[in-house]
Amino acid sequence: MGKTLTEKVLGRKAGKDVQAGEVITISPDVILSHDNSAAIIQEFRKLGVKKVRAPEKIVIVLDHIVPASDEKYAQNHKSIREFVAEQGIPNFFDINAGICHQVLPEQGFALPGKVIVGSDSHTPSYGALGAFATGIGRTETACTWATDEIWLRVPETMRIDLSGRFRAGVFAKDLSLKLIGDHGAEMANYRAVEFAGPAAGDFSVGARLTLANMSAEMGAKNGYFAPDAKTLKWLEGRARGPFVVASSDPDARFESILAYDLDALEPQVACPHTVDNVKPIGAVAGKPVNQVLIGTCTNGRLEDLEAAAAIFKGRKVHSGVRCLVIPASWEVYREALKSGALAILADAGCVILNSGCGPCLGAHEGIMAAGEICLSTSNRNFRGRMGHRDSEIYLASPATAAATAVAGKIADPREFA
Amino acid sequence: MSQGKVWKYGDNVNTDVIFPGRYTYQIMPPEEMAKHALEDLDPEFAGSVRPGDIIVAGKNFGCGSSREQAAACLKGAGVRAVVARSFARIYFRNAINLGLAVLQCDEAVEALEKGDAVDLDLAKGEIRSAKGTFRFLPLPDSVIGILDAGGLLEYTKKKLAKE
């Protein structure tokens, strides 16, 4: 019996043959945390050890509330900076880096075959590059800092075979929403999701990051694309050290296999208040919105900003709409400056904010009042997430978001070609 | 063994409604977190919940963010256990790591309603009520050691002390 990519990667770390269902204890390659490091530090202090076990494995990125919006957050950041200095943690990214899920790939930490655990639910993003990456909690992160060990259950794998090509105006985000709408928010709970099939190789690394990121909304433990020539090319000049490429054997055991034809896909929108409440664009077009958010770890990359700019070019943000744009990282920000995308967005009347998580998690930079509606390129639309419990969030692609900002109501990007 | 009453909710109760993001990056003790528990789902809960109460919900309880406060706030509020058809994976880990019992039992979810009085017997693996006695799935061996130690921090402390 062959092995899945996940079984191979975890087996290599465990130093033995492993299969789905087995519980193993391993030493991860990267332990990620962000602003919540402040809370993790408090838990770590309770463990009675002075030093983290492997400072070189810890990566801390400040992204959730940057720059600090009040004294409490400022104190959190300060205590993190002090801890980083005290422990000699070499990989610390302050407020001028961007969202961790963009920074780790850009900075060459997210590599094929690596095991990455992170105190953030969208840690599975790194599967886009063939890593095994999964989210854990704060206490668990503190304990992993201290022990350099974590227990994991080797997950079963669901494979999604992709064929065909996206039509104009349709993107990886639409595919992810369609999958979650068709199969529900726990479609892959506890499991790995492999994105495969003849179309998988056509996906850009950015599009792969979007899908792996959204695998968290499928409930997945990890979501991934097997590394290919595109992966290796993207990693040139970025990879920090060697890595081992793995992919699933042809006779690997998949718990289930779904097939999707990209040609048949149209733009999708997730409606309030669950990510699996998905409708085709035609069913929701015309709904007025107050705010549009283009950015986040799901859809804040250069290709996302350029897809939005293609629609904004020569057009204006509707007078009744606040359109917020947040490049996922400062690398993306600088690239979008050079490509001219940011100039188009600024000319159109978008408000361009500093790289970070922005209002996605409801802490600052664009919180909504009661009754307000936002169409966002982010990954969650739970009640109250972006402000008042009586505000609403719709989720869609950057192109749909840009079309919506121009129209002042939810709009089909294919009408703005 | 503990006694309490049932708080009943549906499927996909997510971490944003269990513990809103607006408080997530404010560091506070569990009893303070408890004041915001389920704030955006059931405003009545935080003021009325009593130690020993249990939450009964549908599938995928705790989906969404990895925020541990979504488990800590319920524990802080005195919730003895969450009984659901299934749990989101990070929530399941977080709850175990904090010593909050998370139990899967379809029959209990089908039978129990808000306000029902229940006895929970973790050792026997039973929930008893006027509507019957329900047995829940035993927890995996890998997590029992952590629960027995009172959570992952205590478990890790003991392990580190041995080294």
Side-chain angles (χ1 to χ4, degrees), chain A residues 43 46 53 64 73 76 134-135 137-140 143 149 151 186 189-190 361 380 382 385 389, chain B residues 14 16 24-25 27 40 59 64-66 68-69 86-87 89 93-94 97 146 153 156-157 159 163:
Chain A
E43 299 304 305
K46 295 176 190 166
R53 180 70 56 101
H64 271 53
Y73 298 130
N76 288 353
T134 196
R138 295 175 178 185
T139 299
E140 195 150 45
C143 293
E149 267 184 10
W151 68 268
E186 60 159 9
N189 200 8
Y190 307 122
L361 63 142
R380 293 203 176 117
F382 302 146
R385 181 169 170 89
R389 76 183 299 278
Chain B
N14 66 72
D16 275 272
T24 312
Y25 296 95
I27 297 176
D40 284 348
K59 59 181 187 177
S65 152
S66 65
E68 208 165 270
Q69 299 97 317
S86 63
F87 292 88
R89 63 159 289 275
R93 285 186 86 99
N94 284 345
N97 287 341
I146 296 171
L153 268 180
T156 305
K157 232 195 251 182
K159 189 169 145 190
E163 284 180 3

Side-chain angles (χ1 to χ4, degrees), chain A residues 5-344:
Chain A
L5 179 147
T6 299
E7 287 167 332
K8 287 182 184 178
V9 170
L10 292 179
R12 220 171 69 80
K13 291 299 285 185
K16 60 175 184 176
D17 225 31
V18 305
Q19 57 183 0
E22 207 168 316
V23 174
I24 54 170
T25 299
I26 55 160
S27 166
D29 294 298
V30 176
I31 310 163
L32 161 76
S33 58
H34 47 64
D35 301 40
N36 61 13
S37 306
I40 297 167
I41 292 164
Q42 289 196 352
E43 299 304 305
F44 176 78
R45 300 287 191 208
K46 295 176 190 166
L47 286 168
V49 286
K50 293 238 168 351
K51 287 286 187 185
V52 300
R53 180 70 56 101
E56 71 285 355
K57 290 186 179 181
I58 297 174
V59 181
I60 297 178
V61 184
L62 296 188
D63 59 4
H64 271 53
I65 300 144
V66 294
S69 64
D70 70 19
E71 290 170 26
K72 280 183 187 162
Y73 298 130
Q75 181 56 46
N76 288 353
H77 290 178
K78 181 167 178 250
S79 62
I80 294 166
R81 292 183 188 110
E82 288 166 355
F83 185 80
V84 163
E86 167 200 314
Q87 297 286 328
I89 293 168
N91 298 309
F92 171 63
F93 297 89
D94 213 310
I95 67 163
N96 60 347
I99 308 174
C100 58
H101 302 316
Q102 183 65 15
V103 172
L104 263 67
E106 283 173 355
Q107 294 290 326
F109 294 100
L111 297 170
K114 298 291 181 190
V115 173
I116 303 174
V117 295
S119 63
D120 188 277
S121 55
H122 290 104
T123 303
S125 300
Y126 315 127
L129 296 155
F132 171 89
T134 196
I136 59 174
R138 295 175 178 185
T139 299
E140 195 150 45
T141 305
C143 293
T144 310
W145 281 358
T147 62
D148 188 28
E149 267 184 10
I150 189 163
W151 68 268
L152 292 167
R153 182 180 171 281
V154 181
E156 288 79 15
T157 300
M158 162 189 275
R159 196 175 82 202
I160 301 176
D161 287 343
L162 305 169
S163 62
R165 292 182 80 107
F166 287 123
R167 299 279 174 96
V170 184
F171 300 86
K173 180 62 164 292
D174 299 302
L175 171 62
S176 69
L177 294 177
K178 175 73 175 158
L179 284 166
I180 297 165
D182 285 355
H183 302 282
E186 60 159 9
M187 64 182 277
N189 200 8
Y190 307 122
R191 299 194 280 286
V193 177
E194 174 167 324
F195 297 99
D202 297 340
F203 280 62
S204 67
V205 169
R208 294 176 194 198
L209 282 161
T210 299
L211 272 170
N213 178 278
M214 289 298 287
S215 72
E217 305 313 315
M218 303 170 190
K221 182 168 209 157
N222 60 311
Y224 63 88
F225 283 74
D228 60 10
K230 215 172 238 174
T231 315
L232 300 180
K233 181 155 179 30
W234 197 85
L235 289 171
E236 272 172 27
R238 296 185 192 271
R240 292 192 182 217
F243 54 87
V244 177
V245 172
S247 57
S248 296
D249 293 326
D251 60 343
R253 191 203 313 256
F254 293 98
E255 188 199 52
S256 58
I257 298 175
L258 303 175
Y260 273 77
D261 175 12
L262 305 182
D263 283 298
L265 196 65
E266 51 178 351
Q268 307 287 315
V269 179
C271 300
H273 294 286
T274 56
V275 186
D276 56 8
N277 183 17
V278 176
K279 295 178 179 154
I281 185 80
V284 280
K287 174 95 186 165
V289 304
N290 307 95
Q291 180 165 295
V292 168
L293 170 62
I294 300 173
T296 77
C297 57
T298 311
N299 277 129
R301 284 171 279 279
L302 183 65
E303 64 196 67
D304 299 319
L305 302 184
E306 292 193 325
I311 286 174
F312 279 123
K313 191 160 188 164
R315 297 190 176 102
K316 294 284 183 198
V317 173
H318 190 274
S319 60
V321 175
R322 317 179 291 266
C323 184
L324 312 178
V325 174
I326 309 182
S329 70
W330 283 95
E331 180 178 317
V332 170
Y333 201 115
R334 288 188 294 271
E335 285 172 354
L337 270 176
K338 281 184 209 143
S339 83
L342 282 192
I344 293 169

Side-chain angles (χ1 to χ4, degrees), chain B residues 28-35 72-73 75-77:
Chain B
M28 51 176 90
E31 52 278 19
E32 187 68 24
M33 291 180 198
K35 293 180 190 166
C73 72
K75 193 163 181 246

